[in-house]
Amino acid sequence: MQFETAAGMTRGLNTHIARDIARKILSGELASGAILPSEIELGEQFGVSRTALREALKLLTSKGLLESRPKIGTRVKERAQWNMLDPQLLEWMQGMEATEEIYHQFLEFRKAIEPHATALAAVNASKEQRIELSRIYRQMCHVSENFDAQAWVEIDTQFHRMIFISSGNCFYVPFGNVLTTIFKWFFEYSSKEGGMCLNEHKRIYEAIMAGDEGAAYSASLGLMKGHKHRLSRGGGGV
């Protein structure tokens, strides 16, 4: 297996190495249980010192991707042990050709937490947060008039991020920040051309602004059960 050479780089050397190895693991090119080449071999492939390489492997170990054992070497850990909510790991996933199964799993995860966050936002959102949500919704309406896929993904991500922030729950708030990257590529994949689901977003927005907890929950869940998606098993959502 070949890795991208990092020779000549002066900044972020260990991060460059970690990203290259991580993307091979995340894509399945390096399977769970696979043993990495020795430090000497990896150092030669990347064209870097063992110190830089060890820092990279240490970074990947902290994210649950690798483990080192005496007499065995450095091994790729099972998928269940990967820290999939690590912001840097999510960033490294960007642009990868993820399998449809990953999107289904993310959708199921959203169904479990986002309707509750939306219901909480209807009750707990501050005046300032409602003003910001109104600004975002108006921008969504503007984008919908002349559909721009990239602009929609950006504003859609802001809308859902704001819901988590407005929940008033300290455990929900971080999801609004951490999941920004994965929201973007999920929306890009799951939405059909022109599939903005503006009416569904309108119902969510109006329920939050009205302080209607039950309607907010139902509207959020309804969006994720919508038909404007590319997921073959049903239950899309943007």
Side-chain angles (χ1 to χ4, degrees):
M1 179 172 294
Q2 294 299 312
F3 296 92
E4 298 177 8
T5 178
M9 295 184 65
T10 57
R11 297 182 62 184
L13 187 59
N14 62 321
T15 303
H16 172 88
I17 298 168
R19 178 183 181 276
D20 189 22
I21 296 174
R23 285 173 68 87
K24 284 180 169 54
I25 294 172
L26 293 166
S27 69
E29 189 175 344
L30 273 172
S32 297
I35 304 296
L36 267 61
S38 68
E39 289 184 359
I40 295 176
E41 292 177 280
L42 282 175
E44 290 176 350
Q45 288 191 43
F46 281 108
V48 299
S49 68
R50 293 180 69 178
T51 299
L53 181 63
R54 284 174 178 172
E55 287 299 314
L57 298 179
K58 183 178 179 181
L59 180 60
L60 294 175
T61 298
S62 71
K63 299 180 187 302
L65 296 182
L66 298 176
E67 63 178 349
S68 296
R69 291 187 176 182
K71 299 181 181 180
I72 295 178
T74 302
R75 181 171 63 183
V76 179
K77 297 179 74 172
E78 294 297 320
R79 191 186 195 91
Q81 299 181 63
W82 300 352
N83 184 5
M84 295 299 289
L85 293 181
D86 181 281
Q88 193 171 41
L89 201 58
L90 291 173
E91 182 182 343
W92 289 342
M93 291 175 68
Q94 194 165 10
M96 288 179 56
E97 187 162 337
T99 65
E100 190 168 282
E101 184 60 32
I102 291 178
Y103 294 106
H104 280 293
Q105 290 182 17
F106 178 62
L107 180 59
E108 291 304 317
F109 177 65
R110 283 185 67 197
K111 285 180 181 177
I113 64 171
E114 192 167 343
H116 293 279
T118 307
L120 287 173
V123 176
N124 298 327
S126 66
K127 177 181 177 181
E128 292 73 21
Q129 288 167 341
R130 292 175 193 274
I131 290 173
E132 177 61 11
L133 189 63
S134 294
R135 183 198 67 78
I136 292 171
Y137 177 70
R138 287 196 301 272
Q139 184 62 25
M140 294 182 92
C141 294
H142 175 72
V143 171
S144 71
E145 292 176 1
N146 296 290
F147 182 67
D148 179 329
Q150 189 56 49
W152 178 261
V153 168
E154 291 293 333
I155 198 66
D156 198 4
T157 300
Q158 289 182 38
F159 183 86
H160 292 277
R161 176 177 179 271
M162 197 64 208
I163 287 174
F164 283 100
I165 291 174
S166 302
S167 70
N169 185 303
C170 66
F171 290 99
Y172 277 128
V173 170
F175 285 107
N177 299 315
V178 171
L179 297 182
T180 296
T181 296
I182 195 168
F183 268 130
K184 285 182 178 179
W185 49 256
F186 178 84
F187 295 157
E188 288 171 353
Y189 181 88
S190 68
S191 297
K192 290 180 178 178
E193 180 96 21
M196 296 175 290
C197 297
L198 183 62
N199 288 334
E200 289 86 342
H201 285 85
K202 180 181 180 181
R203 284 195 282 273
I204 293 172
Y205 167 71
E206 290 181 341
I208 291 176
M209 298 305 287
D212 191 330
E213 184 177 2
Y217 182 96
S218 297
S220 177
L221 190 58
L223 171 65
M224 285 178 276
K225 288 182 176 179
H227 64 280
K228 297 181 179 180
H229 56 80
R230 290 174 53 196
L231 302 181
S232 60
R233 290 209 307 250
V238 291

